[in-house]
């Protein structure tokens, strides 16, 4: 399932989506950026509550299909503009991390 289809099917808000056709092949949840950097797999959706500019740097290295911000976390405008420049999709939802992982499990 691609990122746009996932967002539409599960009701996630699109923060930025420079590459809506990116396929989600799995999921990873984590908030400790140094830990995530070494474990996030390309084409997975990364679920986090972190919203600072460093999430874009980690995503640029790991190449996930998207970042999903759970619990209605909202990134600032610098994060969004950098994500667009780097071609990184970001979604957000009011759902907790566990619930987002259940959605990902149902989708892939």
């Amino acid at each position: 399932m691609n990122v746009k289809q996932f967002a539409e099917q599960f009701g996630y808000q699109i923060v930025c989506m420079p590459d809506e056709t990116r396929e989600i092949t799995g999921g990873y949840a984590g908030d400790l950026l140094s830990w995530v950097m070494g474990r996030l797999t390309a084409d997975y959706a990364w679920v986090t509550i972190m919203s600072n500019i460093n999430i874009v740097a980690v995503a640029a290295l790991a190449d996930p299909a998207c970042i999903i911000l759970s619990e209605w976390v909202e990134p600032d405008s610098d994060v969004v503009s950098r994500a667009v420049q780097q071609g990184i999709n970001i979604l957000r939802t009011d759902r907790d991390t566990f619930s987002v992982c259940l959605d990902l499990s149902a989708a892939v």
Side-chain angles (χ1 to χ4, degrees):
M1 173 178 292
N2 70 40
V3 176
K4 183 177 181 181
Q5 292 166 331
F6 178 84
E8 290 172 351
Q9 180 171 335
F10 293 96
Y12 286 53
Q13 180 185 32
I14 296 168
V15 174
C16 65
M17 192 173 297
D19 188 2
E20 66 185 33
T21 62
R22 242 351 248 280
E23 290 291 321
I24 299 172
T25 62
Y28 187 83
D31 300 317
L32 183 59
L33 298 180
S34 60
W35 189 268
V36 172
M37 193 169 25
R39 290 164 178 80
L40 179 59
T41 302
D43 300 320
Y44 276 28
W46 172 25
V47 186
T48 185
I49 58 167
M50 299 299 295
S51 64
N52 64 48
I53 195 73
N54 293 328
I55 64 171
V56 177
V58 170
L61 291 172
D63 196 30
C66 63
I67 300 170
I68 301 175
L69 303 175
S70 60
E71 300 191 34
W72 244 194
V73 168
E74 185 166 351
D76 65 29
S77 60
D78 291 338
V79 171
V80 175
S81 62
R82 180 75 56 90
V84 170
Q85 291 171 359
Q86 297 285 325
I88 298 165
N89 300 313
I90 300 178
L91 307 176
R92 67 189 284 256
T93 180
D94 62 339
R95 298 169 63 89
D96 61 36
T97 298
F98 179 77
S99 299
V100 174
C101 291
L102 290 175
D103 291 345
L104 286 168
S105 178
V108 296

